[in-house]
Amino acid sequence: MANEPEHIEGRAETAPPQHSTVAPGGPATAPGDVMAGPPAVRIQGLWKKFGEQTAVHGIDLTLPAGRFIGLVGPNGAGKTTTLSMVTGLLRPDAGTVEIGGHDVWQDPVSVKSRIGVLPEGLRLFERLSGRELLSYIGRLRGLPGDEVDKRAGQLLDVLGLSGAQHKLVVDYSTGMRKKIGLAAALLHNPEILFLDEPFEGVDPVSAQTIRGVLERYTASGATVIFSSHVMELVESLCDWVAVLAAGRIRADGPLAEVRGAAPSLQDAFLELVGAQDRGAGADLDWLGGGRAR
Amino acid sequence: MSTASAAAARPATAPSLTGVFVRLKLSLLRNGLRQSTGRTLAYVASIVVGLLFAGAVVLGLTALRGNAHAGALAVLLTGMLTVGWAVMPLFFPGSDETLDPTRLVMLPLRPRPLIVSLLMASLVGIGPVVTLMLVAGAVIAVADGALAAVVGVVAAVLVLLVCVALARAIATASVRLLTSRRGRDLAVLGGLFIALGGQGVNIAAQRLGRPDGLSVLEPLGEVLRWVPPASALGAVDDAGHGAYGRALAGLALTALALALLLWWWQRTLTALMTSPDSSTLQALEKDGARRSGTGERGLARLLPDGRTGTVMRRSLRYAWRDPKSKMAWATALGVGLLVPIATSAQGNGSMYTAFSASALLGAQMYNQFGQDTSAFWMVASTIATPRDAYQELRARALTLALVAVPYVTLVVVGAAALIGPWSDFVEVYGLSLAVLGALLATGAMSSALFPYSIPSEGNKNVAPGQGAIAWFSLFGGVLVAAVLCSPLVALTVWLHVAGLHQLLWLLLPAGAVYGVGLAEAGLRVAAPRVATRLPEILGAVSKG
Ligand SMILES: Nc1ncnc2c1ncn2[C@@H]1O[C@H](COP(=O)(O)OP(=O)(O)OP(=O)(O)O)[C@@H](O)[C@H]1O
Ligand SMILES: [Mg+2]
C-alpha cells in the first residue's frame, strides 16, 4: 500500500515528538508489535444486528495505545454502534472486546475506571447545571469531592464554559453540550478516551481548544479514539486511522499507510468506501440555473 | 371607554383588519380540519361534546330558576369559567396560533386597532360559543323580569369579552416564558392541573348533590359577586330584586375590569413587539440567583458522601427541576393526600384510605432508570459491580423514603385525627410502612427487569410500544407487593380475631421492621440484575 519512506515521513509530520518513546522499535508496520504493553483496544469478531440489518459485520481491529486514533466512515457505517459496544453501552451479538488487556464484558471493574466516553445521540442529565453535572459524575466515579471540584473548575475554564457553569445544561447549545460532555469524560483522567463526533457543532475557536486539550492528553501517553466525518481534521490530528464502511473495516493502520499514494486522506477515503464516481451526478440536472420550478 | 373609541377609530385607520383576522382564523380552522380525518373527527367530537355539555348545564340552570341559591351558583359558575380562561393559555400555549403575537411582529399594525381585531377574532371558535351558552344559562337562572333580562344580555356579552380578553392578555404577557424551552414545562403540568381540578369538581358535585347542598355556596357567592366578571351576574340577580344601585355597580365593575384588561394587553403587546427577545438576559439573571442561593447547598451538605449522597442530591434536584419528575411527585403527594380527604368529605371515610399515600409514593420507585432517559448512560458507565448498582438503587430508595416516611406519617396522623378512630392508628401506620417497603422492593426489581422510556416532551409517560411493559410491571409489582405484605395483614387479622387488642401496638414496630427488611431484600436481589443488564436497560430507556 504505502512505500516505507513516505510512510515514515507522513508520521513524522503529524506525530507528537514523544511517540518515539512509545514506539522505539521504529516504524509501525503492523498493529500490536509496536508497544510493550497491551494494545489500547483489541476487537475480535464483533457483530451487531438490528433486526434484519447488520450494523457491524464482524470487525477485527487492534488499536495501539498512546495514539490519536481516528475512526472514519460514511453515515450509517457503524461507527456509533461499534464505539457503543466497545465502551460497554451496547451488548454485541458476538465477538470480544478487550481494553488495555481487560475484557469489557468479563471485567467491567478494570475497564470502566480506565475509559472516558463521549457518546453520540444520548442525553446528559440536562436539568443539572454544567458544574453540577461534573460534580455529579466525578463523585459517581468515586473521586474525592474537593478533587472533583478543583478539576471541574479547571476543565470549565479551559473549555470556555466558566461563564455558563451555573446554567442548566438543557439551555446549552449543541457545541456547549459537546464541551461539557468532553469535560465529563476527562474528569477522572482515563487512560483511553472514546469520543463520538466530538467536533460536531463546535465552533472553530472551541475546536482549537479541544484539540489542544486532547493533544496534551495523548502526549502524556493516553489514547484518544474518536469518530469524525471531517477528513482534514482526522488527517491533521491523528497518527492512526481506521476506515469503516457498511459495518466492516476497510483499512486501518498508521495514517500514512492508510492514505497510501493518494494526495489526501479525503481521496483515500473516497476510494476506500467506493464513493468516488457517485458525485454530483447528472440525476440532478434540474438543480440550479436560477430557473425556479 | 377605550374600546368604544378604538372601535370608532377602527374603520378610518384599518378598515378591514377585524375581517382579515376573523377570516384568517376561520381558514386556519378549516385547514386544520383538512389535514386528516382523525383530526376532523376529534374536532367534531369535541364540538359535539362541548355543545352537549353546555346544553345540559343550561337545562340544569333553567330548572334552577327561582331557587334561593341560584344567584350564588351563577356567580360561582362565572368565576370558574373565568379561571378556566385565565389558565388555558398557560397550560396549552399555541392552542390559538392566529393570535400568537410573535407572528405579528413583522406586520405594520397599530396596537389599538390590532387589539380590537384580535379580540373579535378570539370570539370565533368553540370555546367562546360554549362559554356564551353557559353564561346565558346562568343569566336565565337568575334573571327575573324585563329589566333583569336587559341587564342579563349586557352582562353575558361583558363576561364573554372579559374571559377572552383575559386569556389573550395572559397569553401575551407570558409569551416569552411559553416559547422558551423551560416554559413548556408548564404544559406538562397542565395534565396535573386538570386531574386535581377534576377531583375538586367531583367533591363539589357530591356536596351539592345533597339536600340543601346549594346553601354551601352562599358565603363564597357573597364574596365572588363583587369580583368581576362574576359581578355582572350578580348585577342581573340584583336587577331582578330591584336593587338597581347594586346592579349598576356590578356591571360597572366588570366593564372597568374589561377596560383595564384591554389596556394591559395593549401595553404588553406593544412592549413585546418593539423590544428584543430578552429570554437570554432573563436566563442569566436566574442563573445568578441559583449561584447565590445557598439554601439547597446547605441542605445538600447534610446528605452522606459518596455515591449515596451524590445520587440523592441529583434525584432531589430532578424532583424540583425536571417537569416529568416534578409532575410525578406532585401527583403522588397530591393524590395521596386527596384520597383520604375526598372520602372523608363524602362522609364514608375509613382510616385505611391513608394507604394511598404510601402506595402512590412507593410506586415512584418503579422505572427509576426510565426517569433518567438516555442520560442513564452516565449511570451505566459508572456501575461496574453489583455493589455499585446496590448503592445506586439504595440511594434512589432513600431519596423516596426521605420524603415518603414523613409524608406517610403526616397523612396517617391526619387521617386518624379527621376520620379516626385513633385506636386504628398503630396498625394503619405499621401497615403503611410495610406497604412502602414492599413497593420499594418490587419497584427496584421492576426497574431492573422492566425498564421503559419516558418521553420528555408532551404529556405521555410511556414511549409508544412500551405501554404493555409499563402496565405489566406496575400492576404485577403492586400485586407482588400485596402478597409480600400479606403476613403482616394476617397478623393484624389474627390479633383482632383472637381478641389480643392489647398486643396491637406490636404492629407498628413489626410493620416498620418488615418494611425495611423487604426494601433491603428487594434492593439486594435487584442490584446484581441491574449490574448485568446495563446495556439492555440503556436500550429500553433510550427509545422515543
Ligand atoms: N438502535 C438502532 N436500531 C436500529 N438500527 C440501528 C440502531 N442504531 C443504529 N442502527 C443502524 O445501524 C447502522 C449503523 O449506525 P451507526 O449509528 O453506528 O452509524 P454511524 O457510522 O455512527 O453513522 P453517522 O456517521 O451518521 O453517525 C445504521 O444503518 C443504522 O440505521
Ligand atoms: Mg454516529
Side-chain angles (χ1 to χ4, degrees):
Chain A
M1 211 176 171
N3 54 12
E4 282 290 280
E6 184 190 326
H7 165 176
I8 297 167
E9 233 173 62
R11 277 218 25 236
E13 271 168 23
T14 52
Q18 72 293 332
H19 276 168
S20 53
T21 62
V22 176
T29 46
D33 66 3
V34 198
M35 311 131 297
V41 178
R42 190 202 304 275
I43 303 173
Q44 278 168 328
L46 198 65
W47 279 82
K48 184 72 194 180
K49 276 189 168 188
F50 291 111
E52 287 295 286
Q53 189 191 11
T54 308
V56 172
H57 207 283
I59 287 184
D60 294 298
L61 187 64
T62 304
L63 301 172
R67 301 295 180 93
F68 213 127
I69 299 166
L71 183 60
V72 298
N75 293 130
K79 302 182 292 295
T80 299
T81 310
T82 306
L83 286 177
S84 306
M85 289 192 289
V86 170
T87 52
L89 296 178
L90 182 69
R91 197 184 297 282
D93 293 340
T96 56
V97 179
E98 278 175 27
I99 289 184
H102 303 277
D103 189 291
V104 170
W105 298 99
Q106 305 301 323
D107 189 5
V109 181
S110 310
V111 170
K112 288 200 171 170
S113 58
R114 282 191 169 82
I115 62 172
V117 189
L118 173 65
E120 208 253 339
L122 296 180
R123 307 210 295 182
L124 302 165
F125 281 105
E126 297 182 350
R127 302 280 163 164
L128 299 181
S129 71
R131 186 173 259 284
E132 285 166 358
L133 184 75
L134 294 186
S135 131
Y136 168 74
I137 191 79
R139 285 172 169 84
L140 273 200
R141 290 210 178 262
L143 299 177
D146 34 359
E147 181 66 20
V148 172
D149 294 336
K150 195 185 87 192
R151 290 185 187 183
Q154 289 170 351
L155 280 168
L156 288 165
D157 249 358
V158 169
L159 292 170
L161 288 174
S162 299
Q165 59 177 321
H166 298 291
K167 204 162 147 168
L168 296 193
V169 175
V170 71
D171 291 330
Y172 277 19
S173 69
T174 314
M176 289 161 82
R177 278 168 207 240
K178 285 280 180 205
K179 288 195 275 181
I180 198 74
L182 181 67
L186 283 169
L187 199 60
H188 58 298
N189 188 23
E191 287 167 30
I192 306 169
L193 196 57
F194 295 91
L195 310 172
D196 201 348
E197 301 184 11
F199 294 99
E200 197 93 327
V202 174
D203 68 73
V205 180
S206 306
Q208 194 55 41
T209 315
I210 295 181
R211 279 182 72 147
V213 172
L214 292 182
E215 270 166 350
R216 192 164 72 200
Y217 171 73
T218 43
S220 68
T223 312
V224 173
I225 297 166
F226 80 105
S227 77
S228 177
H229 298 116
V230 188
M231 291 304 145
E232 291 74 23
L233 192 76
V234 173
E235 195 163 16
S236 67
L237 264 179
C238 299
D239 42 12
W240 195 279
V241 187
V243 181
L244 196 61
R248 294 172 214 258
I249 296 289
R250 287 295 157 86
D252 73 289
L255 175 69
E257 201 174 284
V258 170
R259 185 167 51 199
S264 70
L265 186 62
Q266 170 88 6
D267 295 289
F269 176 76
L270 292 178
E271 195 176 313
L272 279 166
V273 303
Q276 229 159 13
D277 33 62
R278 201 205 304 150
D283 291 352
L284 296 183
D285 53 0
W286 48 266
L287 186 62
R291 288 164 280 120
R293 299 177 61 106
Chain B
M1 281 292 104
S2 64
T3 34
S5 61
R10 186 175 47 79
T13 50
S16 57
L17 198 53
T18 303
V20 169
F21 274 120
V22 171
R23 249 170 298 159
L24 176 63
K25 176 126 186 206
L26 284 173
S27 57
L28 273 173
L29 277 179
R30 217 172 318 121
N31 291 345
L33 287 183
R34 231 180 263 153
Q35 268 170 8
S36 76
T37 37
R39 212 167 142 167
T40 316
L41 281 180
Y43 192 75
V44 170
S46 74
I47 291 182
V48 171
V49 169
L51 290 181
L52 281 179
F53 169 72
V57 173
V58 170
L59 275 182
L61 286 168
T62 317
L64 276 177
R65 258 186 78 88
N67 184 304
H69 305 296
L73 187 65
V75 162
L76 196 68
L77 181 77
T78 315
M80 271 161 57
L81 267 175
T82 315
V83 172
W85 276 94
V87 297
M88 232 357 219
L90 288 178
F91 292 126
F92 307 99
S95 52
D96 193 350
E97 54 189 318
T98 14
L99 306 175
D100 182 353
T102 50
R103 290 174 193 232
L104 304 172
V105 171
M106 305 306 289
L107 303 177
L109 300 174
R110 319 198 97 262
R112 191 165 283 188
L114 181 60
I115 292 285
V116 175
S117 311
L118 285 175
L119 190 61
M120 292 305 140
S122 303
L123 292 175
V124 179
I126 180 70
V129 171
V130 169
T131 306
L132 191 62
M133 283 175 70
L134 292 178
V135 176
V139 168
I140 292 172
V142 292
D144 197 5
L147 185 65
V150 173
V151 174
V153 172
V154 177
V157 172
L158 274 177
V159 170
L160 183 64
L161 286 177
V162 167
C163 283
V164 174
L166 181 66
R168 297 324 319 161
I170 287 180
T172 306
S174 53
V175 70
R176 283 277 151 75
L177 173 71
L178 293 176
T179 49
S180 76
R181 252 175 294 188
R182 255 182 286 162
R184 275 182 227 123
D185 297 1
L186 269 176
V188 176
L189 293 176
L192 180 63
F193 173 79
I194 289 178
L196 291 182
Q199 193 51 240
V201 168
N202 185 20
I203 295 179
Q206 301 232 1
R207 285 234 141 171
L208 298 181
R210 292 188 214 153
D212 204 33
L214 279 180
S215 61
V216 181
L217 299 178
E218 278 306 329
L220 196 57
E222 210 34 59
V223 178
L224 267 185
R225 76 165 309 296
W226 292 112
V227 179
S231 65
L233 262 290
V236 181
D237 199 14
D238 288 332
H241 297 125
Y244 301 121
R246 278 168 62 108
L248 196 63
L251 276 186
L253 264 178
T254 302
L256 182 70
L258 180 61
L260 282 174
L261 269 177
L262 291 173
W263 172 78
W264 179 49
W265 183 17
Q266 179 184 327
R267 246 185 48 141
T268 46
L269 190 61
T270 314
L272 189 69
M273 291 169 69
T274 52
S275 69
D277 189 330
S278 61
S279 49
T280 19
L281 296 177
Q282 279 170 0
L284 279 182
E285 274 165 33
K286 250 186 251 146
D287 297 329
R290 184 174 311 121
R291 183 175 8 210
S292 54
T294 53
E296 190 182 62
R297 210 148 292 168
L299 267 180
R301 219 181 288 128
L302 293 179
L303 294 172
D305 268 344
R307 185 165 203 124
T308 307
T310 308
V311 173
M312 288 179 76
R313 249 189 307 275
R314 190 199 54 76
S315 303
L316 288 173
R317 283 188 174 127
Y318 257 57
W320 182 246
R321 292 188 200 158
D322 179 53
K324 287 271 159 157
S325 308
K326 198 192 231 172
M327 176 157 88
W329 275 104
T331 314
L333 293 174
V335 178
L337 189 62
L338 211 67
V339 172
I341 290 183
T343 49
S344 81
Q346 285 164 28
N348 50 2
S350 148
M351 225 188 122
Y352 283 82
T353 51
F355 283 137
S356 63
S358 53
L360 283 156
L361 282 167
Q364 293 272 91
M365 189 68 193
Y366 283 74
N367 199 27
Q368 273 294 321
F369 304 126
Q371 298 171 24
D372 294 0
T373 69
S374 59
F376 177 71
W377 76 267
M378 300 193 99
V379 178
S381 65
T382 59
I383 291 181
T385 60
R387 174 147 192 85
D388 294 338
Y390 169 72
Q391 288 182 342
E392 176 77 30
L393 281 171
R394 190 187 57 186
R396 290 169 188 246
L398 282 175
T399 313
L400 263 175
L402 192 67
V403 179
V405 172
Y407 191 75
V408 166
T409 310
L410 214 76
V411 171
V412 176
V413 169
L418 292 177
I419 306 174
W422 274 101
S423 56
D424 282 351
F425 170 75
V426 176
E427 65 189 70
V428 172
Y429 191 27
L431 275 172
S432 288
L433 293 177
V435 167
L436 188 62
L439 282 170
L440 289 181
T442 54
M445 270 314 268
S446 87
S447 294
L449 299 179
F450 310 107
Y452 57 93
S453 73
I454 303 176
S456 55
E457 299 281 316
N459 275 319
K460 285 232 171 59
N461 280 326
V462 184
Q466 291 183 316
I469 308 177
W471 285 114
F472 174 71
S473 69
L474 190 59
F475 278 108
V478 169
L479 274 183
V480 174
V483 171
L484 287 176
C485 287
S486 56
L488 209 63
V489 176
L491 178 65
T492 315
V493 172
W494 180 71
L495 286 178
H496 276 286
V497 171
L500 298 167
H501 293 276
Q502 72 279 15
L503 287 182
L504 276 173
W505 63 269
L506 270 177
L507 286 169
L508 179 54
V513 169
Y514 192 63
V516 171
L518 278 181
E520 173 72 16
L523 296 178
R524 291 218 173 263
V525 177
R529 285 166 179 77
V530 169
T532 53
R533 282 174 44 84
L534 289 171
E536 285 72 26
I537 296 175
L538 179 61
V541 301
S542 306
K543 293 207 170 70

